[in-house]
Amino acid sequence: MDRFALDLVILSITYGLIALRGVGRLNIQPWAAMLLGASLTIALGILTPTEALSAINLNVILFLISLFTVSSALEVSGFFNYLAYRLMLSSDKMRSLILRVFVSSAALSLVLSNDGIAGSFTPVIVSMRRYARINIKPLLYALAFGVTIGSVALPIGNPQNLLIALESGVPRPFVIFTLYLLPPTLINILITYPLLLILFRGDGNDDVELIEVRNPRELLINAKLAYTALAILALLIPLFFITDIYSVSPYLTPVTLAFTGASVLYLVSSDRRSIAQNVDWTTILFFIGLFIVSDGALKSGVLGFLAHYLPQPTTLPGIFISGLLLSQVISNVPMVALYIPLMKSLGVSPTNYLAWVGLAASSTIAGNLTLLGAASNVIINEASEKRGGEGFGFLEFIRYGLPVTIVNSLIYYLWFMVINGHIIP
C-alpha cells in the first residue's frame, strides 16, 4: 500500500473516531484519537520522526500552555467559584442569573481559552443547586453559548483562532481580529441574551430561592494567587496589541510575552505544583497530534486530493458553509487545521483578511449548532454529568442551538459584507 492510501486510512480512523464519539459505547476522547493518528503517521512511514517533530508548531504549544497556566491559577485560587457564587447572590430572578452567567463567560472567553472557562465554570454551576432551588439547564446553555460567542473576537479566545493567527501569516492578527470580529461579537452577545430568554421561557420557576447563604470570600481560597493571575492577564492583553502594532523587538511577541507571564506566575506562587497539574494538558496533547496528522495529510497528497471534494474555501460563502458544516463532523479545531493549508494551496493570501476572519467566525460559531460542534460543549456536558448534573441531549442541543447559530451567523456575515472594502488596516 502506497503512502497516499496508508494516510487515507489513518485519517479515516482518526477523524472517524472523533466524529463517532458518543455513538453507542464509543467514547474515545478527541485527544486520544488524534494521538493514535499521529503515532500511526510516524509508525507507518507517512512522516519520519524528524519531520513529525518539525511539524509541531511550538509557538502554538507555548501560547496554549501559557494561557492555560493563567486559567489554571484562577481556578486553583477559587476565583471562578467566587465569581459564580457572587453572580448567584446578586440575582433574584433566573433571567438575571442567565444574563450574568452568559455575559461573564463571554467576557472571560475574550481573553482566556473558551475550553478552560467551560471546564472551570461548569462545576460551579452544578454546585449552585446546593445553595438555591434552580434549574441549572438554562445556565449550562448560557455558559455553552457564552464561551463560544465571546471567544470569536480575539486570537486568544479559542484554539482555532490561535491557529489562524499564527499559521495563516495574517499580519497584525490582534488588530485584524479586533477590527473585523469584536463589533459583531458584541452585537451577538446583546442579541443572544433575549433569544435565550425566549428559548427557555416557562422552563421552571423564575425565582432564585436561596437555601444556604455563604460569604463569597470563603470560596476565594487563595486571594493572592487570584490577584496575581488577574494582574498578569491585565498586563498581557495591552502588551499583545502593542507588540502586534509596533515592532518593539523580534523577540517580544505575544507568544514570548505570554510564556514570560506564565513563568512569573509559577515563580511567585506557592501553589505552583497545583497550577501545573491543573493545566489542560490533554488539549496540548491534542494539538501535538493534530500538527503531525495534518502535516502527514499535506505531504502524502491526501489533502490535495480532498480539496477537489471539500467545499472550496476561496469565497466568503464557501468558507462560511465549510466552517459551519464540516465543524459538526470533525469539530472546529481539526477543521481549521485542515483548511489553513488547503486555503493557502488555493491561493488565499495572508492579506485576504475577510477569508481568514470568516474562517475564524464560522468555525467557532459552529459550536452553537450541535453538541459535537465544539470541544467546549463536550467539556460542559461531561463535567456536569460527572457531578450529577444534567447533560445535553444531542437533538435537544440542536433545538436550542439552531436559532442561535442562524442569528449569530447572519450577524457576522452581514457585518463582513458591510465592512468589505471600507476597512484598510
Side-chain angles (χ1 to χ4, degrees), residues 23 30 79 95 177 262:
V23 176
F79 173 76
R95 57 179 177 270
F177 272 65

Side-chain angles (χ1 to χ4, degrees), residues 78-93 96-97 100-101 104 121 124-125 127-128 131 208 210 212-220 227:
F79 173 76
F80 290 130
N81 288 344
Y82 166 80
L83 177 61
Y85 191 70
R86 286 295 300 265
L87 296 178
M88 189 177 67
L89 282 181
S90 61
S91 307
D92 59 347
K93 299 289 184 182
S96 60
L97 184 54
R100 286 171 169 81
V101 170
S104 61
F121 250 57
V124 181
I125 289 177
S127 71
M128 285 182 178
Y131 308 115
V208 176
L210 291 176
E212 176 187 346
V213 178
R214 295 180 60 181
N215 183 349
R217 296 285 300 182
E218 296 174 5
L219 301 174
L220 195 61
Y227 296 145

Side-chain angles (χ1 to χ4, degrees), residues 120-172:
S120 301
F121 250 57
T122 304
V124 181
I125 289 177
V126 175
S127 71
M128 285 182 178
R129 296 178 307 173
R130 297 202 310 262
Y131 308 115
R133 295 184 181 91
I134 56 174
N135 176 13
I136 65 168
K137 180 63 75 71
L139 301 179
L140 293 174
Y141 275 101
L143 175 63
F145 297 148
V147 297
T148 294
I149 296 171
S151 72
V152 176
L154 293 176
I156 54 178
N158 57 59
Q160 63 270 18
N161 278 14
L162 187 59
L163 270 179
I164 294 169
L166 297 180
E167 295 269 292
S168 67
V170 171
R172 296 180 293 167

Side-chain angles (χ1 to χ4, degrees), residues 3-24:
R3 190 164 74 155
F4 176 89
L6 275 175
D7 197 46
L8 193 59
V9 172
I10 292 170
L11 290 172
S12 299
I13 293 172
T14 303
Y15 289 105
L17 288 173
I18 293 174
L20 295 175
R21 187 186 182 202
V23 176

Side-chain angles (χ1 to χ4, degrees), residues 203-250:
D203 214 59
N205 186 8
D206 188 45
D207 293 325
V208 176
E209 302 176 27
L210 291 176
I211 302 171
E212 176 187 346
V213 178
R214 295 180 60 181
N215 183 349
R217 296 285 300 182
E218 296 174 5
L219 301 174
L220 195 61
I221 56 180
N222 190 335
K224 181 181 177 182
L225 177 59
Y227 296 145
T228 303
L230 290 171
I232 288 174
L233 187 61
L235 182 63
L236 285 176
I237 300 304
L239 286 176
F240 288 158
F241 283 93
I242 292 171
T243 55
D244 207 39
I245 298 171
Y246 304 104
S247 298
V248 180
S249 165

Side-chain angles (χ1 to χ4, degrees), residues 16-334:
L17 288 173
I18 293 174
L20 295 175
R21 187 186 182 202
V23 176
R25 295 184 178 181
L26 194 63
N27 191 29
I28 298 174
Q29 282 80 10
W31 63 270
M34 198 59 71
L35 280 184
L36 173 65
S39 64
L40 291 175
T41 299
I42 300 170
L44 297 179
I46 308 301
L47 295 178
T48 66
T50 302
E51 288 174 329
L53 287 173
S54 300
I56 301 170
N57 189 323
L58 286 180
N59 280 329
V60 173
I61 298 301
L62 290 178
F63 208 175
L64 284 174
I65 291 174
S66 304
L67 291 178
F68 288 165
T69 294
V70 178
S71 181
S72 174
L74 290 173
E75 182 175 4
V76 168
S77 71
F79 173 76
F80 290 130
N81 288 344
Y82 166 80
L83 177 61
Y85 191 70
R86 286 295 300 265
L87 296 178
M88 189 177 67
L89 282 181
S90 61
S91 307
D92 59 347
K93 299 289 184 182
M94 274 297 293
R95 57 179 177 270
S96 60
L97 184 54
I98 291 173
L99 172 64
R100 286 171 169 81
V101 170
F102 175 68
V103 172
S104 61
S105 60
L108 286 168
S109 294
L110 280 170
V111 295
L112 291 170
S113 171
N114 61 342
D115 292 347
I117 302 303
S120 301
F121 250 57
T122 304
V124 181
I125 289 177
V126 175
S127 71
M128 285 182 178
R129 296 178 307 173
R130 297 202 310 262
Y131 308 115
R133 295 184 181 91
I134 56 174
N135 176 13
I136 65 168
K137 180 63 75 71
L139 301 179
L140 293 174
Y141 275 101
L143 175 63
F145 297 148
V147 297
T148 294
I149 296 171
S151 72
V152 176
L154 293 176
I156 54 178
N158 57 59
Q160 63 270 18
N161 278 14
L162 187 59
L163 270 179
I164 294 169
L166 297 180
E167 295 269 292
S168 67
V170 171
R172 296 180 293 167
F174 277 85
V175 175
I176 297 301
F177 272 65
T178 301
L179 288 174
Y180 282 85
L181 293 173
L182 182 58
T185 295
L186 296 176
I187 294 171
N188 267 325
I189 291 172
L190 290 174
I191 289 179
T192 303
Y193 169 63
L195 184 55
L196 281 172
L197 295 185
I198 294 172
L199 291 172
F200 290 102
R201 66 184 182 275
D203 214 59
N205 186 8
D206 188 45
D207 293 325
V208 176
E209 302 176 27
L210 291 176
I211 302 171
E212 176 187 346
V213 178
R214 295 180 60 181
N215 183 349
R217 296 285 300 182
E218 296 174 5
L219 301 174
L220 195 61
I221 56 180
N222 190 335
K224 181 181 177 182
L225 177 59
Y227 296 145
T228 303
L230 290 171
I232 288 174
L233 187 61
L235 182 63
L236 285 176
I237 300 304
L239 286 176
F240 288 158
F241 283 93
I242 292 171
T243 55
D244 207 39
I245 298 171
Y246 304 104
S247 298
V248 180
S249 165
Y251 305 109
L252 283 179
T253 66
V255 176
T256 59
L257 287 169
F259 194 52
T260 301
S263 301
V264 170
L265 193 54
Y266 282 122
L267 182 67
V268 301
S269 172
S270 59
D271 286 336
R272 60 183 68 91
R273 188 179 297 275
S274 297
I275 296 171
Q277 290 174 343
N278 197 55
V279 167
D280 187 4
W281 293 110
T282 55
T283 298
I284 303 299
L285 292 175
F286 174 85
F287 268 87
I288 291 173
L290 180 64
F291 284 127
I292 295 172
V293 169
S294 299
D295 198 51
L298 184 63
K299 287 189 168 63
S300 68
V302 172
L303 192 59
F305 172 78
L306 292 176
H308 298 290
Y309 300 96
L310 295 171
Q312 293 296 293
T314 53
T315 64
L316 193 59
I319 291 169
F320 252 75
I321 293 171
S322 302
L324 285 169
L325 298 184
L326 194 56
S327 292
Q328 311 308 323
V329 180
I330 58 175
S331 196
N332 46 23
V333 179

